[in-house]
Amino acid sequence: SNHGLNYKMGAHRASEEWEIELDEARRIVDAYPEIYPGVRVGFWEWVESCIRKDRTLFDLFGRKRVFLGEMSDDLIKEALDYIPQSTIARLTAEGMCKIYEDRRPHMADIELLNNTHDGLLIQVPLGDNERLAQVMETCAQHLDQELCFKERRFHVKTNFKIGFDWGAMVDVEGTTVAEIVPKLPALLEEAKKQRIAMGIHEYSSPDIDLDIVFGLSVNRFGQARYHLPLMTNKLIINTET
């Protein structure tokens, strides 16, 4: 809920998305800026003042956007999206380039399959848990940059999920080899169970080595809901901020 409320989601939409009564949704929406006053003063009011002044915003990488629509509440809400969404897209794109250009032995044969605006899908061979953890650690490092908003410096946290389908994931705690390796055997077994529970069929070939689909996503909307066709055993790893 915090994601939508950060962008001034209204009570009617909250009621529909959360499947609760309108009065209850309205109480939550009205209480949010009281619980997090910095969101109202430090973000909502600041963005609105920028739009009313010269209609211009810059994301955290310095990319400029001028909002030319009719001055209205809808335009302000559109402007609220810009800095976070543009910043996370640039953060993902730059991380993707670094991953692609990393030719160290453990990264040499990975395949970048997709950029989903705030996420990446990457495929690497399955079978060596130490190497898998190294790839995850390296990708987390490439996706990490120090950002600055109004003189406050911070990093966007990367979280991992793994699974044999993008719609059936299990959480991975940690982003370092030491944290990840001991947990991988149990996590891979759980991921297989989830795939079976979803009724996902596997297309296998005796001529193809086991692969792993390694999916990275800094998706703040939650787990993706669509599926990938699988050749042999494949695993997807998903990251979220």
Side-chain angles (χ1 to χ4, degrees):
S1 63
N2 278 19
H3 174 74
L5 293 176
N6 283 339
Y7 301 122
K8 300 185 75 171
M9 179 170 62
H12 284 86
R13 180 175 175 183
S15 175
E16 293 176 0
E17 291 193 4
W18 305 338
E19 298 181 349
I20 61 177
E21 294 295 330
L22 180 59
D23 287 345
E24 183 180 0
R26 188 174 287 114
R27 286 195 297 271
I28 295 172
V29 169
D30 291 344
Y32 189 77
E34 304 301 325
I35 298 171
Y36 300 103
V39 174
R40 172 187 285 158
V41 177
F43 187 54
W44 295 352
E45 294 179 1
W46 176 79
V47 168
E48 183 170 353
S49 70
C50 291
I51 296 303
R52 294 193 181 280
K53 177 185 177 182
D54 58 13
R55 295 175 173 262
T56 302
L57 290 175
F58 294 85
D59 71 12
L60 303 192
F61 289 92
R63 184 179 181 184
K64 177 182 178 180
R65 178 176 173 183
V66 179
F67 291 79
L68 300 177
E70 179 183 356
M71 188 64 67
S72 65
D73 289 343
D74 288 340
L75 185 70
I76 300 301
K77 286 187 177 182
E78 182 181 350
L80 289 174
D81 291 347
Y82 175 66
I83 294 176
Q85 296 295 330
S86 179
T87 298
I88 209 68
R90 176 70 175 269
L91 187 69
T92 303
E94 291 195 359
M96 179 185 68
C97 292
K98 293 175 184 177
I99 291 167
Y100 176 78
E101 293 168 355
D102 192 334
R103 298 292 90 188
R104 285 176 289 176
H106 69 284
M107 298 289 288
D109 61 351
I110 71 167
E111 298 174 81
L112 279 161
L113 303 181
N114 196 15
N115 180 332
T116 59
H117 162 74
D118 52 9
L120 301 174
L121 189 65
I122 302 169
Q123 182 172 284
V124 299
L126 175 64
D128 184 344
N129 286 354
E130 178 81 19
R131 188 217 173 184
L132 172 58
Q134 283 183 302
V135 172
M136 294 172 68
E137 180 181 74
T138 300
C139 288
Q141 292 168 350
H142 287 324
L143 287 164
D144 180 52
Q145 288 193 53
E146 184 178 73
L147 301 172
C148 182
F149 178 66
K150 298 169 69 173
E151 300 184 351
R152 179 179 179 181
R153 298 188 175 276
F154 63 96
H155 294 256
V156 176
K157 184 180 179 182
T158 300
N159 298 313
F160 289 94
K161 289 185 177 182
I162 63 173
F164 291 92
D165 181 86
W166 209 347
M169 312 293 284
V170 294
D171 293 311
V172 179
E173 294 183 5
T175 57
T176 67
V177 171
E179 293 171 323
I180 296 170
V181 167
K183 303 168 185 173
L184 277 177
L187 290 171
L188 291 171
E189 287 302 314
E190 179 61 28
K192 291 176 183 177
K193 291 178 183 178
Q194 289 208 18
R195 179 180 61 179
I196 293 171
M198 291 187 65
I200 299 166
H201 298 287
E202 176 183 320
Y203 300 89
S204 60
S205 167
D207 300 322
I208 302 177
D209 294 333
L210 293 181
D211 289 332
I212 176 171
V213 169
F214 178 75
L216 295 170
S217 172
V218 280
N219 184 354
R220 291 167 305 187
F221 296 98
Q223 180 176 316
R225 295 298 181 187
Y226 40 91
H227 309 292
L228 300 173
L230 305 178
M231 286 188 63
T232 77
N233 288 332
K234 293 190 175 183
L235 180 72
I236 297 169
I237 300 176
N238 190 60
T239 73
E240 297 178 343
T241 58

